[in-house]
Amino acid sequence: MLYIKHNMIDNIILIPYRNREAHLDYFIKNTVPLFKEHLPNSKVVIIEQTEGKLFNRGMLLNVGFKEYENKTKYFFTHDVDINPTFKCVNEFYKLGVQDTDVLGIYTSQCNTLGGIIKITNDTIHKINGFPNDIWGWGVEDKALQNRAEFFNINKITLLTNKMEHPEYILRFNDTDDRERHNLPYNTQKHYTTFQRLNNEEKNKEVLSSGLNNLEYEVINKKSINDMVEVIKVEI
Ligand code: UDP
Ligand code: MN
């Protein structure tokens, strides 16, 4: 018990990633130093997907939850193109979060759990993480929101993308590589259909795909510096 406590990390910041080198460079040069100074005993873990399949943001984040399960109290899911200011880190990143809540530090105005969220290890396991079958752009953030609601996890929203918050967030929005052809199918399955299910069916759906049946292969792990690790995975 003592041994486990001694090795606990306060925050694991997970970044799903592939082919966004300029954004990653900016993040490592400008944002990681803020974390280093103001979020002690924390780690940034970049989960990088190999080439070949469509990007799967939810599944990459699931890999991060799995790799660090029971090694941290808090997980952040963090897009690589969203950079908090010192004010944002200082006021929001250090807030405590209960198992009944998830903190939406910077999310979509469409009531989803994308962008930057802070969630406890217990909660993310309780809701079984993201579904593993959302390939291509979109909807995994809504699927996580649906799961949280189903388990009565309450979202505390701090900032949304409805307007600019230059004092809190620097966001790059210049990437147009979204692969949308699965979006109608994914939206139907994980949004429209899910919301119409009864509780028993929802429970079954949540258990059908997520942390409980995640499969992946770690290709390579390397440290960029004493705070940042890159885990390359085949999913
Ligand atoms: N992402 C990535 N490579 C991709 C697609 C997405 O690294 O090809 C990661 C990256 O962290 C990005 C996040 O997934 O910030 C969300 O994707 P994107 O920024 O395109 O979504 P949007 O901001 O439009 O919701
Ligand atoms: Mn983005």
Side-chain angles (χ1 to χ4, degrees):
M1 213 44 197
L2 264 177
Y3 178 76
I4 291 168
K5 270 200 176 142
H6 182 72
N7 284 288
M8 286 291 275
I9 300 168
D10 289 343
N11 307 285
I12 302 271
I13 296 160
L14 297 174
I15 302 187
Y17 178 77
R18 183 168 72 187
N19 284 342
R20 297 276 177 95
E21 217 169 309
H23 291 164
L24 185 58
D25 281 353
Y26 186 94
F27 195 93
I28 288 170
K29 284 198 187 96
N30 298 280
T31 298
V32 168
L34 280 181
F35 294 158
K36 232 181 221 178
E37 195 166 346
H38 303 290
L39 280 186
N41 193 28
S42 302
K43 208 167 166 169
V44 174
V45 181
I46 296 154
I47 317 289
E48 181 178 9
Q49 184 177 339
T50 53
E51 291 300 328
K53 299 181 185 168
L54 291 180
F55 193 69
N56 187 330
R57 180 174 172 276
M59 200 171 173
L60 292 174
L61 290 166
N62 278 350
V63 169
F65 300 139
K66 195 56 127 192
E67 289 284 312
Y68 282 95
E69 77 184 323
N70 304 324
K71 295 192 181 111
T72 187
K73 177 158 188 210
Y74 295 120
F75 283 110
F76 287 71
T77 71
H78 211 300
D79 285 357
V80 75
D81 56 0
I82 306 175
N83 294 275
T85 62
F86 162 68
K87 186 174 166 65
C88 186
V89 174
N90 196 40
E91 290 179 21
F92 298 154
Y93 281 55
K94 299 173 187 173
L95 293 175
V97 185
Q98 299 178 315
D99 289 335
T100 47
D101 299 321
V102 51
L103 194 62
I105 295 178
Y106 179 78
T107 58
S108 162
Q109 56 183 306
C110 306
N111 192 26
T112 68
L113 281 172
I116 308 173
I117 69 168
K118 183 176 183 179
I119 192 163
T120 68
N121 179 72
D122 287 348
T123 304
I124 198 66
H125 283 89
K126 181 175 182 187
I127 71 177
N128 202 23
F130 288 87
N132 295 313
D133 63 342
I134 302 181
W135 301 91
W137 186 78
V139 113
E140 81 293 333
D141 50 353
K142 190 68 195 179
L144 196 70
Q145 171 73 29
N146 284 337
R147 289 182 172 202
E149 282 174 17
F150 177 59
F151 284 96
N152 290 317
I153 309 300
N154 174 48
K155 177 168 62 168
I156 300 169
T157 304
L158 298 174
L159 304 168
T160 75
N161 63 0
K162 189 168 183 179
M163 49 184 196
E164 299 284 321
H165 307 277
E167 72 279 32
Y168 287 107
I169 295 288
L170 170 63
R171 183 177 185 191
F172 299 115
N173 239 340
D174 52 1
T175 309
D176 192 17
D177 61 359
R178 296 163 172 181
E179 178 44 78
R180 283 192 160 91
H181 70 255
N182 287 337
L183 189 57
Y185 170 82
N186 289 335
T187 305
Q188 178 75 32
K189 178 168 186 215
H190 292 286
Y191 186 15
T192 327
T193 306
F194 182 86
Q195 293 202 329
R196 285 201 210 105
L197 301 176
N198 66 34
N199 282 348
E200 200 182 314
E201 291 165 336
K202 278 186 179 164
N203 195 45
K204 211 173 146 200
E205 177 65 26
V206 169
L207 291 176
S208 75
S209 184
L211 290 172
N212 64 339
N213 57 6
L214 176 69
E215 285 183 22
Y216 61 97
E217 187 188 345
V218 173
I219 302 297
N220 169 34
K221 281 190 188 183
K222 65 174 188 219
S223 293
I224 290 189
N225 58 41
D226 55 356
M227 189 177 210
V228 184
E229 178 185 33
V230 182
I231 305 181
K232 191 162 187 174
V233 287
E234 179 128 4
I235 53 177

